[in-house]
Amino acid sequence: MLLRSAARRLAVPLRRSRNHFAVAAGVTSEAEDHCDVSPNWRAFRSPASQRSQQVRMSTMTVPSAPPAQQISAFPSLLIGPSGHLTPRGSFAEAQASFLEPPADVVEQLLTQLLRLNVGIVAHYYMDVELQGVLHAIKKRQLALHKQGVPGVPATPLVAIADSLKMGDDAVLMCKDAGVSSVICLGVDFMSESVHAILSRNGFADVPVYRAAQRHIGCSLAESAETDNYRAWLTRCASSAQKSLHVVYINTSLETKAVSSSILPTITCTSSNVLQTILQASAQLGPQNLQICYGPDTYMGENLISLLDAVLTSNSGQGWDDSRIASQLHPQHNRATIRALRDNINVYPSGNCVVHHMFGQSVVDTVAKSYSDAYVTAHLEVPGEMFQIALQKSLSDEGVVGSTSNILNFIERKVEEAAKSNSNSSTHNSDGTAEKKRLKFILGTEAGMVTSIVRSVQDILDANSCGNVEAEIIFPVSSDAVMAVEETNTNIAEPIQKLEVVPGVSGGEGCSTAGGCATCPFMKMNDLDAVQDIVEMIQSRGTNKDSELKLSKHLPPNRLKGKTIGGRDAIELGSEPIVFMREFMKTKKLSEDLVRRIEAEA
C-alpha cells in the first residue's frame, strides 16, 4: 500500500450555476424523439453535478490592512544545482516538502501502472506531493527503459501538461505504450476533453477516470454555463457584423456545443489566442469582423491591453508597421491592429478563482519590493498584475502568456545565465566564482513550481554551473473566505460553514491548502485518490463493487444521446476544437469555419 498523505488537501467545489443553459439552447434527446427535455433537466445533469450544489467556496473583498500589516515580502523557493533547494517562508516550505518523494512509493506505483497498462495525464496545477511522485515515476520509467528492462515502454506512462496537451499525451500512451486505462488528474472538463480526444483518435473504448466521484468544478468553466453567457452570445450573433466566437479551451464540451449552435465558434488556448484573433481579423477583414471572446474576462481584457501597448508604444519601443508585420502578423499594421482592438467584444463576468485573487496588496508589493525580478503572468490574471508583466516583457524582463510560455521563459533565462556564468571570470575576494541569482515572480498557480524546479536543476547540472541560482517567488495574497467542511459522526453529510482561513503564515496564502496561490479544485486530486483508482482497476474484473465505484469516476457524459438543432451534441461540441487544430496546423481558419461566418453575417 502506498504511503498515505499526511493530510488531505482542503478542496471545496463551487456551487453549480447552470441555470438551464443547455435546455434554453434547445438540447434534445434522441431517446425522447427530439422532444423538449426542459422538465427533465435534473436527469440531464450528472448526480455529481447536483451534489456539488451542497458546498460553496467564495471570496470577498477584505478592507485594506494598515500599512504595517501589508505584505512586505513573499515566500520563495531558491533553486540551485545538484538538487539544492532553500524554501523561504511556510508556504514555500510546504511546496518544497514533497519534491523528493520516497523511493518505495514511486517504485510501487510505477510497478502497478506497468502491470495494469494504466497511464496518467495530469495538469501543471496538481498538488505538489502528487506532482513530485509523478515526476519521479516518469524519470524512473525512462531510466529502466534505457537499461533495457523488459516490459518497460519508451513512451512515458505519466505526462504533466496543459489542458490541451493532456489529451494528446493520452493518445500517445494508447498508441505507443498500449495503455488500456487513463487516469486524468485535473478538473471535470479536462477529463471530458481527454475522453473526447481519445474517441476521435480511435480509442473510445479506453476508459478515462477522474480522481474523485463527486464533481470537480472550475469557476471559470462554469461561468460559461449560465443564461448570462448564452444571452451575451445571442447579442453577439445579432450584430450586423460578421462574428466569430473565440472560446477558451478551459470550458466544458457542453459549452462548446451550445456556443456553436448560436455562433460560429473556435476554441483557443492561452498560447495561441493572440495568433487566433490576429489571423481571423486578417482573413475576414478587421473592419468587418467582431471577435467575441469568452468566458475569461481577464484574459480578454489583457488581450486588449496588449494591443493597446502596441498602439501606444513610443518610438524607442519601435512598434511600427514593419515590426508589427515581422513579429505579430505579416498581414497587420497599426491601422488594422486598431480596427481589431476596437472590434473585440469580451464577456464581462468570467474569471478563475485563483488568478482573481492576485489582489492590490500583492500588486503593490511586486511593484515596490521586486523591481529587480523577472515578472511572469498568466493571461488569466487581473489587469494590474498583467500590466506589470506586460511592461517588463517589452524589455524581455518578463513574460505574459500560458503556463508553457512561463515555463519556457524561465528555462531560457536560466540557460542564458548558466552558459554565461560558466565562462565568467568574475570572482569573489576568496577566489570563488561570483554567484548570480535570477528572481522570478510566479504569476500563476503555485503547482507549476514542481516542473520549474526540475527544469532549472536539469539546466544548471547540464551546464555544470554552480554559480547560478533561480529564486521562484510566490506572490501570495493574504485574505479570503472559504467554505470548510466539518465531519459530524452522527450524520452522513458534512457540515459546512464560512470562515476566514488565514495563510500558513502572515501574508502567505489564503488557506492551509495554499489559498490564493493554489486551486482548491485541482487539489481534489491527490496521491490517495490515484492509489484508490489503481486498486479498483486492479480488482475490477473480479469485484463488482470496484466496477460500480469506477463508473462513478468516469467523466461527465451530459451530452450522450443528445442533439442540438438536429445535430449530435458531442460532435457539435468537438467541432470548435477541430477548427483550432486545423488553425494550429495550417495557420489559417478552415474554409468551413470561414463559410459559416460569412453565411451568418
Side-chain angles (χ1 to χ4, degrees):
M1 183 69 66
L2 280 177
L3 180 66
R4 296 299 188 179
S5 304
R8 291 185 179 273
R9 300 296 184 266
L10 179 62
V12 186
L14 283 180
R15 183 188 297 272
R16 303 286 283 172
S17 55
R18 307 174 61 81
N19 296 328
H20 304 274
F21 178 55
V23 172
V27 179
T28 59
S29 170
E30 293 175 350
E32 296 176 2
D33 198 26
H34 304 291
C35 295
D36 188 343
V37 296
S38 298
N40 299 316
W41 170 243
R42 288 189 178 276
F44 184 63
R45 296 169 58 187
S46 66
S49 172
Q50 297 177 40
R51 286 196 303 273
S52 73
Q53 293 203 25
Q54 298 169 3
V55 289
R56 174 191 296 268
M57 193 203 83
S58 62
T59 60
M60 67 180 292
T61 302
V62 179
S64 298
Q69 296 180 12
Q70 293 287 353
I71 301 171
S72 59
F74 295 127
S76 67
L77 193 59
L78 192 61
I79 309 168
S82 305
H84 178 75
L85 282 175
T86 304
R88 297 180 172 183
S90 301
F91 181 82
E93 289 172 3
Q95 303 302 303
S97 61
F98 294 113
L99 290 174
E100 296 295 337
D104 59 333
V105 173
V106 173
E107 201 70 33
Q108 184 175 341
L109 186 50
L110 174 57
T111 300
Q112 290 176 302
L113 296 181
L114 290 168
R115 185 174 69 249
L116 299 171
N117 294 322
V118 175
I120 298 177
V121 291
H123 194 269
Y124 280 125
Y125 293 170
M126 283 300 99
D127 172 275
V128 287
E129 177 189 22
L130 183 52
Q131 281 207 53
V133 172
L134 295 180
H135 273 280
I137 288 174
K138 180 178 178 179
K139 184 177 181 179
R140 178 62 175 158
Q141 179 196 338
L142 295 178
L144 291 175
H145 175 77
K146 189 174 181 180
Q147 294 169 16
V149 176
V152 180
T155 300
L157 297 179
V158 167
I160 301 175
D162 57 30
S163 56
L164 179 64
K165 195 172 183 298
M166 287 167 66
D168 296 339
D169 288 332
V171 170
L172 285 177
M173 290 176 190
C174 293
K175 283 182 177 179
D176 301 339
V179 160
S180 58
S181 300
V182 173
I183 299 174
C184 179
L185 303 177
V187 294
D188 279 356
F189 73 76
M190 294 176 183
S191 60
E192 184 183 51
S193 176
V194 167
H195 177 67
I197 291 172
L198 284 174
S199 298
R200 293 188 69 88
N201 283 273
F203 297 103
D205 59 330
V206 175
V208 176
Y209 297 117
R210 303 175 303 119
Q213 292 186 8
R214 61 176 173 162
H215 171 65
I216 306 178
C218 171
S219 58
L220 177 61
E222 291 174 5
S223 67
E225 298 177 357
T226 63
D227 282 342
N228 286 340
Y229 198 80
R230 181 179 179 272
W232 173 74
L233 283 175
T234 302
R235 289 194 296 273
C236 288
S238 66
S239 170
Q241 291 178 287
K242 303 171 189 175
S243 295
L244 172 65
H245 178 216
V246 179
V247 65
Y248 195 21
I249 188 73
N250 290 357
T251 48
S252 68
L253 203 62
E254 181 183 341
T255 289
K256 297 177 180 72
V258 174
S259 298
S260 295
S261 72
I262 299 172
L263 195 65
T265 298
I266 184 173
T267 56
C268 71
T269 68
S270 49
S271 297
N272 67 26
V273 60
L274 178 60
Q275 287 305 311
T276 300
I277 65 173
L278 286 168
Q279 178 59 33
S281 176
Q283 210 167 326
L284 287 149
Q287 300 287 354
N288 304 316
L289 179 67
Q290 175 187 215
I291 301 286
C292 299
Y293 177 80
D296 195 310
T297 305
Y298 286 142
M299 187 180 292
E301 291 176 346
N302 289 340
L303 286 169
I304 293 175
S305 293
L306 194 153
L307 296 177
D308 280 338
V310 171
L311 293 170
T312 59
S313 61
N314 56 44
S315 57
Q317 292 169 331
W319 280 105
D320 55 16
D321 289 350
S322 175
R323 185 180 178 189
I324 288 172
S326 64
Q327 296 187 23
L328 283 183
H329 194 283
Q331 293 174 261
H332 275 284
N333 52 44
R334 291 182 68 86
T336 60
I337 291 294
R338 186 173 299 281
L340 166 60
R341 181 250 180 269
D342 292 342
N343 281 302
I344 297 177
N345 184 341
V346 177
Y347 179 63
S349 304
N351 59 66
C352 165
V353 69
V354 174
H355 295 117
H356 182 58
M357 294 189 199
F358 285 110
Q360 191 59 49
S361 62
V362 168
V363 172
D364 290 344
T365 304
V366 170
K368 294 176 182 177
S369 303
Y370 292 91
S371 59
D372 59 339
Y374 295 110
V375 180
T376 72
H378 196 280
L379 275 173
E380 295 180 34
V381 304
E384 297 89 347
M385 187 76 172
F386 180 84
Q387 288 295 334
I388 295 175
L390 177 59
Q391 291 304 313
K392 288 265 191 177
S393 72
L394 296 176
S395 55
D396 200 31
E397 295 178 339
V399 64
V400 295
S402 66
T403 49
S404 296
N405 295 144
I406 291 172
L407 181 59
N408 292 340
F409 176 81
I410 294 173
E411 289 174 339
R412 176 170 63 85
K413 287 298 181 182
V414 172
E415 182 88 40
E416 291 172 356
K419 289 182 176 178
S420 172
N421 275 42
S422 293
N423 302 317
S424 175
S425 59
T426 305
H427 292 79
N428 297 315
S429 57
D430 60 0
T432 59
E434 186 176 71
K435 282 198 173 184
K436 181 174 184 179
R437 179 176 299 176
L438 308 179
K439 298 180 181 179
F440 298 93
I441 299 287
L442 185 62
T444 189
E445 221 272 1
M448 270 201 72
V449 74
T450 309
S451 296
I452 293 170
V453 167
R454 300 302 179 211
S455 293
V456 169
Q457 288 180 335
D458 287 347
I459 292 170
L460 295 180
D461 291 343
N463 287 276
S464 301
C465 183
N467 55 343
V468 171
E469 299 173 322
E471 184 177 9
I472 307 302
I473 300 161
F474 304 99
V476 184
S477 185
S478 58
D479 296 291
V481 169
M482 177 175 295
V484 295
E485 291 183 0
E486 289 188 348
T487 303
N488 186 330
T489 56
N490 297 320
I491 58 175
E493 293 295 327
I495 299 172
Q496 58 171 324
K497 63 178 183 177
L498 285 177
E499 63 181 43
V500 175
V501 185
V504 179
S505 180
E508 292 185 9
C510 298
S511 78
T512 54
C516 298
T518 64
C519 175
F521 307 110
M522 290 291 189
K523 275 41 181 188
M524 293 175 72
N525 301 265
D526 61 27
L527 191 55
D528 291 353
V530 173
Q531 176 62 5
D532 289 342
I533 294 171
V534 169
E535 291 173 355
M536 284 186 279
I537 292 173
Q538 183 173 313
S539 61
R540 63 184 170 187
T542 57
N543 188 323
K544 290 185 178 180
D545 187 51
S546 291
E547 291 276 10
L548 178 60
K549 288 181 178 178
L550 276 174
S551 68
K552 296 177 181 179
H553 286 268
L554 293 171
N557 203 11
R558 298 188 296 263
L559 297 184
K560 186 176 182 180
K562 309 297 177 181
T563 62
I564 301 178
R567 291 191 60 188
D568 179 80
I570 294 177
E571 178 184 329
L572 194 59
S574 301
E575 191 176 70
I577 303 175
V578 174
F579 287 148
M580 180 186 69
R581 293 282 192 186
E582 186 165 345
F583 166 70
M584 293 171 69
K585 183 178 180 179
T586 66
K587 308 303 179 186
K588 295 193 303 182
L589 299 191
S590 71
E591 293 182 3
D592 185 19
L593 178 58
V594 170
R595 279 196 299 269
R596 294 188 191 192
I597 296 170
E598 298 277 8
E600 296 193 23

